[in-house]
Amino acid sequence: MGNEVSRARALTVSSFLVNFAVQTYGMVTTPNMKDIAEANHFAFSPNPWFIAAFFSGQVVIQLAWIRKLFQNDPPGGYQTIEPNANPEITAKENERAWNVALNYAPVYALGNFCIAGWLFFWLREDFKASQVLVTINTFAQLLAVAALPPLTPNSSSLMRFTHYVAKTFAGIGVLDFIDNGGVALWYRAPPSTLVQAATYAFFPLAAAASKPLFGSILLYDVFAVAVGQRGVSGAGAWPTRLGWTALATAGVVGVKAVPILKEYFGK
């Protein structure tokens, strides 16, 4: 496992640094990514500040995960056993957590490189090329999330952070996909009745089929679009209905979170 761990560490750090450097450039160059977004505001465009706020939190979570990859040792190395913990269960969980993290590391790196490439084309207003990269990233992250084993009470912090990183990457990827897609198609608000109906149904249903963390990110996505569509000329009731969709999605996420909260506070 030593070579796999070294490769995962190199992939995660290098891809993170590349994407962070490119995103920083995109914020300080002229025109910057926000200027391009405001000049190309279409039916699924969110408020740009929601993207910036999410990226900031995402960076913190990703750095914490990468730190875990360097701080902890893989199976066979030195392992810290918690007091009163079952050593056998802890060892099995550590092995499982490392296998999941190592399997996800290439997908994480792919996502970072895709988003870095997306910005290159976004700043040049080549939205069809940027959509290709966004699509690759979004579906790769969604597939990775679908492949994650469920968390258990015995899940290690490495396993939990792998879930956090993968789900935040996939969740914001959904917003990237519909945002860039709307721009690439020059799809102005309000969308057709069919597209609106699909949108109103998708977010609550997707949240119902997801764990609360991923569902909460979908809630963030639809709320960001609802705020971004406010004041758009000709949008009609589209922003208001998106707001109601966000409220319905929040209700679904809340209901799904209740058993988890009961279990957590009941300990």
Side-chain angles (χ1 to χ4, degrees):
M1 186 176 281
N3 289 336
E4 293 179 9
V5 172
S6 298
R7 184 163 53 249
R9 288 169 174 170
L11 277 173
T12 54
V13 172
S14 60
S15 65
F16 174 87
L17 292 175
V18 167
N19 190 29
F20 186 82
V22 171
Q23 298 301 318
T24 301
Y25 169 78
M27 288 185 273
V28 300
T29 190
T30 303
N32 60 35
M33 65 175 84
K34 182 173 177 290
D35 295 331
I36 301 297
E38 290 176 342
N40 296 274
H41 200 81
F42 289 92
F44 289 94
S45 297
N47 183 298
W49 291 112
F50 278 78
I51 301 294
F54 194 93
F55 177 71
S56 300
Q58 197 177 19
V59 165
V60 174
I61 293 172
Q62 290 179 7
L63 285 174
W65 178 63
I66 292 171
R67 182 172 179 267
K68 291 288 181 186
L69 292 177
F70 282 85
Q71 183 184 42
N72 295 349
D73 288 321
Y78 175 76
Q79 298 290 337
T80 301
I81 305 297
E82 296 293 332
N84 302 320
N86 185 313
E88 185 177 348
I89 294 176
T90 301
K92 287 182 179 179
E93 177 53 37
N94 283 334
E95 182 175 5
R96 188 175 76 123
W98 271 101
N99 286 333
V100 171
L102 295 180
N103 287 334
Y104 177 66
V107 181
Y108 170 78
L110 173 65
N112 274 329
F113 290 133
C114 281
I115 297 305
W118 162 83
L119 185 57
F120 175 84
F121 292 113
W122 179 264
L123 293 176
R124 286 155 183 76
E125 300 188 61
D126 186 350
F127 301 121
K128 288 183 172 56
S130 63
Q131 183 64 24
V132 171
L133 293 173
V134 161
T135 301
I136 292 171
N137 172 61
T138 300
F139 283 92
Q141 301 300 329
L142 288 172
L143 288 172
V145 167
L148 289 173
L151 293 173
T152 69
N154 295 318
S155 291
S156 67
S157 57
L158 175 60
M159 176 69 86
R160 294 182 185 280
F161 271 101
T162 303
H163 271 255
Y164 301 156
V165 171
K167 289 175 180 177
T168 53
F169 220 147
I172 202 64
V174 172
L175 180 56
D176 291 339
F177 179 80
I178 62 175
D179 174 20
N180 197 110
V183 174
L185 295 172
W186 288 57
Y187 197 53
R188 298 192 179 279
S192 68
T193 301
L194 179 61
V195 172
Q196 287 193 52
T199 304
Y200 305 146
F202 169 76
F203 284 96
L205 290 176
S210 307
K211 297 295 184 182
L213 174 58
F214 188 71
S216 66
I217 300 168
L218 293 175
L219 168 60
Y220 188 91
D221 292 347
V222 69
F223 186 67
V225 177
V227 174
Q229 293 300 301
R230 290 184 62 191
V232 172
S233 178
W238 170 236
T240 302
R241 290 170 180 168
L242 283 173
W244 284 110
T245 303
L247 185 61
T249 305
V252 171
V253 172
V255 168
K256 296 207 69 173
V258 167
I260 296 174
L261 293 174
K262 282 184 176 179
E263 181 182 355
Y264 177 80
F265 288 110
K267 289 182 178 180

